Amino acid sequence: MLTQKSIKLSDYVEYPYLIPRIDLNFDIRTDCVVVQSRMIIKPKHKESTKLILNGSQIELLSISINARELKSEEYLVTDKCLIIKSPPGAEFELKIRSQIDPFRNTSLEGLYISSGMLTTQCEAEGFRRICYHPDRPDVLSKYTVRLEADSSLYPILLSNGNKKYSGKLKNNIHRHQVIWEDPFPKPSYLFALVAGKLNLVSDKYITNTGRLIDVHIYVESGDEKYTKHAINSLKKAMKWDEDTYGLEYDLDEYKIVAVRHFNMGAMENKGLNIFNSKLVLADSKTATDDELERIESVIAHEYFHNWTGNRITCRDWFQLSLKEGLTVFRDQSFTSDLHSTGLKRIEDVSFLRNFQFAEDKGPTSHAVKPKEYVAIDNFYTTTIYEKGAELIRMLELLIGREMFFRGIDIYIKTFDGTAATTEDFINSLIKGAYIEESNCPFDVSKFLNWYYKSGTPKVYVNQSWDSKNSILNVSFKQKIESDQTSENIEMIIPILYSCYSREKGAIPILEENLFVLDKNNKNLKIKLPFEKKAPVLSIFRRFSSPVLWESDLSIDDYLFLFLNDNDYFSRWDSGQFLMREMIKNRLFNKANSSLEDKFIFAIKQSMKSLEIKDPFFLATLLENPGFAELESLFEKVDPINIYRKSLDFKVLIGKGILQEFRTLAYKLFVNIDHEWPEGKGQRKLLGTIWSYLTLAGDNNVKKNCVESINHPSMTISKAALGALKPLDSVETNEASNLFYNLWNDNAVVLDSWFAYEASRPNKQGIDVIEKLLSHPKFDWKAPNAIRAVLGGFSKNIELFHSLDGQGYLFFAEKLIDLDKINPITASRMVKIFSKWKTYVDENKEGMYKSILKINRANISPNTREVVELILK
């Protein structure tokens, strides 16, 4: 039971005032910032009602309405808001002059200092730390912003929109001013301001209609050389959005600022994106192939928000997935189109299964459209983002690509410049495809259950073969385990399927088809060309629905699909199933040597066909299931045993394919390319093979890994580190020291060293983590550094999960300290304890004591909400 008051969707009431225009003036001084806001306010109703403006940690200096100074009895100031008791019943001008102190703000919300630079983070409710305002997404205004500061301390002054004026102050030549104007209405969470010593890297983009857009990236001195990839990524995204969705950028300039101290990955503020520096500053020497693709994707994501999030925003925070789920879907599609659809799908599914499915199963499980929350910051989750994207993907599959884009067009034309709801979006898609909902072939209300219900549906699949008529009968049963209801919930579950002949092999005997499971139980009859034996069924191809499933496919069926399925996801998924089975058998001391031998043979066969044709896919097939997936296989989780048995399994595979791996690794190593994206498949495969060979005890490979730390490709360097990581060896220490010496002056790269040191096995135990936290290069105010050390420590399985409980207690103590300066990061990291009830008794007891320790501390509302859910 939550002890804090929650905000409920059912209580939503529209704000009683329109604020069509806001003029903001920022006077940046050495010890404070004086903010003056001028708002044009229009009552929506004739009846006068109190005007409530949210505000926190603001010192009110003056307030006036229509140029008349208000008396103290006409308004009320609390620690959370400003209330004007009897505002005018007609349109009026409200001026508020106030003062804030960003120099002592460690929360990384509102206006704060980062490496001498003033910057903002207003989503979700940070604007109320800057000035008094409703600070809710359904209040949209056009903003004009004037910034004034000492030109030597803050030579760069940025805000949203287009620059209208800049120059020195007439009465003080040491100070300058810049005026920015955003012509499009936006909610306050999209406001942004940056002031500081920054260097500019410029480029240009020409739209399909011939408009010239200035591309500006602002970075700290010395980082200019790391911006080329970001600029290229942005221009690719702008081009893709025009070509795919017909959406052109609408301002004269597009600005990105790289910030070291930032809670999120990036923020889509209109025309002024603020990025975590690790997602901007990169090239193939400082970032891996995966990191470069991630940067490309995130830059695209924030750009795509210009239309799906900015021009059309969400009515309230319960609709958060309206903008985030849709935009994740768009950035996933962008990456698929630029690189590989099949491989991107596998990447996304693997992430979903290891993070979102685990979230769905735990105490912080919530619906894509939740009904209530205490702190909205706690709902920036994989459910909102990645599961939300899966729902959009299902809609595209159900209504067809052409109709989907027609619906998107209707949505944008209908709701441009407004704050919309999830239902507005769904209705637009249905209207685009079918004109009326009554014409829709599936029940829209059942599809909306995906938004309203928490939990991961599970589908049970059983087959029977009618050899006489060559018909495969397939029965499907759906079930969702949800804490929200005990009733049978029917979902719309699209299932892509195909069939293979056991005799004919890799060529499917049935084209890919779509079956829609829209009832708790439903049957499918598949008429096939004459077959003597039952065909092999390939289901949920392309991961057509975000569900778990259990089928009566045999081990031999999975081996067949692993070797023959032409769908990348289904082939990979078959291998993942087999690996999970083999590791699970070993955990129960029931190793199936026959299956293991067959799997090793299947890998050798795959190597012959894929090492040249698609090395990246081969590497993907060789990757073990994620740790969270393995944990989900057991009612009582023994994390240390799972970790050890999964390593034993890798040793088995490495030794079983030792010579083939050695030969291939040598060929790859001597012919490796350095520049992304060329050669990324070969680099990925080399790193994967190294990870097997080091565990198999190959001393030559260990030596190669140490020598590769200073390789010109960061992908190779980190692959070498990763291959040595499970070994508490001389080579591991040597490689780690070499990496540190190479990169100790680059904070972005050094975070990966902190994560490596925190997560690798060591004999010194928690002392190593303490030393990292007190390291002169560690920055407690930088979320990246915190996540590197504490997040890395949580992945150090044997240390974090030590049976004496000391790992848990240490982590709890550090979270309590962190919560005092950065509640958002603390509340997200405390979710590591979410699965405490699923562990074996020794771990469960230790985790419980640590959670209670946090709960008894004086913690923030953000962290309190999560802890109470975990303990529930």
Side-chain angles (χ1 to χ4, degrees), residues 583 586-587 624 627 630 638-652 695 726 761 797-799 801-803:
I583 294 170
R586 285 179 164 265
L587 276 157
N624 274 19
F627 192 77
L630 295 175
D638 183 346
I640 293 176
N641 199 25
I642 291 174
Y643 171 72
R644 290 173 178 171
K645 294 299 183 182
S646 62
L647 285 183
D648 289 345
F649 176 71
K650 285 199 78 169
V651 172
L652 170 81
L695 283 170
I797 303 302
E798 293 186 298
L799 184 57
H801 292 285
S802 60
L803 296 181

Side-chain angles (χ1 to χ4, degrees), residues 588-807:
F588 290 123
N589 297 313
K590 297 179 181 179
N592 186 335
S593 57
S594 173
L595 171 57
E596 291 169 349
D597 289 343
K598 289 179 180 179
F599 187 69
I600 288 171
F601 176 78
I603 290 177
K604 290 180 179 179
Q605 293 298 108
S606 297
M607 287 175 68
K608 291 177 183 178
S609 63
L610 291 173
E611 67 173 83
I612 295 175
K613 179 183 176 183
D614 198 338
F616 203 111
F617 185 41
L618 176 58
T620 304
L621 291 178
L622 289 169
E623 290 180 336
N624 274 19
F627 192 77
E629 277 190 88
L630 295 175
E631 285 186 317
S632 70
L633 300 175
F634 304 94
E635 289 187 13
K636 288 293 182 181
V637 175
D638 183 346
I640 293 176
N641 199 25
I642 291 174
Y643 171 72
R644 290 173 178 171
K645 294 299 183 182
S646 62
L647 285 183
D648 289 345
F649 176 71
K650 285 199 78 169
V651 172
L652 170 81
I653 300 299
K655 289 183 175 179
I657 316 177
L658 190 63
Q659 194 52 53
E660 291 87 344
F661 275 166
R662 281 174 171 167
T663 302
L664 183 52
Y666 176 77
K667 283 180 5 185
L668 291 167
F669 188 60
V670 298
N671 295 298
I672 211 77
D673 288 323
H674 302 162
E675 294 294 328
W676 182 87
E678 286 76 20
K680 64 179 182 179
Q682 288 84 354
R683 291 189 292 273
K684 172 88 167 177
L685 182 56
L686 177 62
T688 303
I689 292 174
W690 273 352
S691 72
Y692 279 99
L693 289 176
T694 54
L695 283 170
D698 191 316
N699 290 321
N700 287 331
V701 168
K702 293 178 190 177
K703 182 181 177 182
N704 285 344
C705 287
V706 174
E707 293 171 348
S708 297
I709 296 303
N710 63 355
H711 195 280
S713 165
M714 182 58 77
T715 302
I716 297 299
S717 181
K718 285 190 179 178
L721 280 176
L724 293 168
K725 182 178 172 179
L727 314 175
D728 190 5
S729 67
V730 172
E731 291 89 352
T732 310
N733 291 329
E734 185 180 355
S736 179
N737 290 334
L738 283 170
F739 190 87
Y740 175 82
N741 290 332
L742 281 169
W743 297 107
N744 65 81
D745 287 331
N746 186 314
V748 172
V749 178
L750 195 60
D751 283 334
S752 61
W753 176 82
F754 276 111
Y756 184 76
E757 284 295 291
S759 60
R760 72 183 180 96
N762 67 78
K763 295 183 177 67
Q764 290 77 41
I766 290 173
D767 288 345
V768 170
I769 313 301
E770 284 279 25
K771 288 178 182 177
L772 292 173
L773 292 172
S774 59
H775 193 285
K777 296 283 186 177
F778 180 78
D779 182 359
W780 263 106
K781 294 181 180 179
N784 291 350
I786 295 164
R787 286 188 285 260
V789 176
L790 294 184
F793 171 52
S794 71
K795 296 180 179 70
N796 193 326
I797 303 302
E798 293 186 298
L799 184 57
F800 180 69
H801 292 285
S802 60
L803 296 181
D804 61 6
Q806 291 304 303

Side-chain angles (χ1 to χ4, degrees), residues 112-119 220 259-262:
Y112 63 92
I113 197 84
S114 171
S115 303
M117 172 188 4
L118 285 171
T119 188
E220 293 182 48
V259 177
R260 170 70 174 157
H261 301 88
F262 203 68

Side-chain angles (χ1 to χ4, degrees), residues 154-221:
Y154 304 101
I156 298 295
L157 300 174
L158 305 173
S159 192
N160 310 82
N162 300 315
K163 184 188 289 187
K164 291 300 177 182
Y165 174 82
S166 65
K168 295 282 187 181
L169 296 188
K170 293 180 180 179
N171 59 348
N172 189 338
I173 61 171
H174 299 295
R175 295 178 69 80
H176 68 136
Q177 62 179 323
V178 181
I179 297 175
W180 296 89
E181 183 179 86
D182 188 348
F184 299 99
K186 65 173 178 282
S188 57
Y189 79 85
L190 291 173
F191 170 79
L193 177 161
V194 174
K197 295 177 181 178
L198 295 165
N199 288 353
L200 170 63
V201 180
S202 297
D203 207 315
K204 294 186 182 297
Y205 175 77
I206 301 174
T207 69
N208 288 346
T209 61
R211 288 180 57 238
L212 189 66
I213 309 297
D214 289 320
V215 174
H216 292 160
I217 296 189
Y218 294 87
V219 297
E220 293 182 48
S221 180

Side-chain angles (χ1 to χ4, degrees), residues 397-629:
L397 179 61
L398 286 164
I399 67 179
R401 186 172 173 84
E402 182 180 345
M403 295 296 102
F404 175 80
F405 279 105
R406 184 183 295 178
I408 290 286
D409 189 52
I410 289 174
Y411 170 67
I412 289 172
K413 288 178 179 177
T414 304
F415 296 100
D416 185 16
T418 69
T421 66
T422 300
E423 290 76 13
D424 291 332
F425 174 74
I426 302 294
N427 291 336
S428 295
L429 291 187
I430 299 303
K431 184 177 180 181
Y434 308 111
I435 310 300
E436 300 290 342
E437 185 178 326
S438 58
N439 299 326
C440 184
F442 59 89
D443 188 332
V444 177
S445 65
K446 288 184 181 180
F447 187 86
L448 284 168
N449 282 333
W450 280 104
Y451 283 94
Y452 302 154
K453 307 297 182 182
S454 66
T456 305
K458 188 168 185 178
V459 177
Y460 299 86
V461 186
N462 288 284
Q463 309 168 80
S464 64
W465 174 239
D466 180 350
S467 57
K468 182 178 179 181
N469 296 301
S470 195
I471 294 175
L472 182 65
N473 296 291
V474 189
S475 66
F476 295 90
K477 178 182 179 181
Q478 62 165 292
K479 182 181 180 182
I480 182 168
E481 296 179 1
S482 170
D483 60 359
Q484 294 182 355
T485 180
S486 58
E487 64 180 332
N488 289 328
I489 301 168
E490 291 184 336
M491 316 284 278
I492 300 294
I493 300 177
I495 302 171
L496 288 170
Y497 68 93
S498 184
C499 290
Y500 290 83
S501 167
R502 296 181 191 276
E503 285 81 21
K504 296 174 184 176
I507 302 173
I509 54 174
L510 180 73
E511 291 296 317
E512 187 174 83
N513 279 281
L514 175 64
F515 172 75
V516 178
L517 177 60
D518 54 2
K519 299 177 181 178
N520 286 327
N521 296 277
K522 194 172 180 180
N523 298 324
L524 169 67
K525 287 183 179 292
I526 306 174
K527 176 65 177 174
L528 296 165
F530 180 74
E531 290 287 319
K532 293 180 180 179
K533 297 181 180 179
V536 181
L537 179 65
S538 172
I539 51 172
F540 289 103
R541 295 164 66 81
R542 292 185 264 156
F543 195 67
S544 53
S545 297
V547 300
L548 295 163
W549 65 89
E550 185 179 303
S551 77
D552 58 358
L553 267 68
S554 67
I555 292 296
D556 284 341
D557 290 341
Y558 283 108
L559 283 165
F560 178 94
L561 294 171
F562 179 67
L563 282 169
N564 297 293
D565 205 317
N566 66 359
D567 176 56
Y568 267 43
F569 164 74
S570 295
R571 185 171 178 180
W572 167 81
D573 186 55
S574 299
Q576 293 288 292
F577 173 85
L578 293 167
M579 288 193 220
R580 290 193 297 268
E581 286 296 301
M582 288 181 279
I583 294 170
K584 186 166 66 173
N585 289 339
R586 285 179 164 265
L587 276 157
F588 290 123
N589 297 313
K590 297 179 181 179
N592 186 335
S593 57
S594 173
L595 171 57
E596 291 169 349
D597 289 343
K598 289 179 180 179
F599 187 69
I600 288 171
F601 176 78
I603 290 177
K604 290 180 179 179
Q605 293 298 108
S606 297
M607 287 175 68
K608 291 177 183 178
S609 63
L610 291 173
E611 67 173 83
I612 295 175
K613 179 183 176 183
D614 198 338
F616 203 111
F617 185 41
L618 176 58
T620 304
L621 291 178
L622 289 169
E623 290 180 336
N624 274 19
F627 192 77
E629 277 190 88

Side-chain angles (χ1 to χ4, degrees), residues 315-333:
R315 186 196 71 177
D316 51 69
W317 292 120
F318 299 100
Q319 324 291 333
L320 181 57
S321 194
L322 171 66
K323 74 182 185 77
E324 296 300 348
L326 175 56
T327 306
V328 169
F329 169 77
R330 276 157 45 76
D331 81 57
Q332 289 175 348
S333 302

Side-chain angles (χ1 to χ4, degrees), residues 91-109:
E91 179 180 320
F92 62 95
E93 176 193 81
L94 175 66
K95 278 188 179 180
I96 300 174
R97 191 167 180 267
S98 56
Q99 181 174 298
I100 56 176
D101 184 0
F103 305 102
R104 296 184 182 180
N105 180 7
T106 63
S107 68
L108 309 191
E109 292 182 276

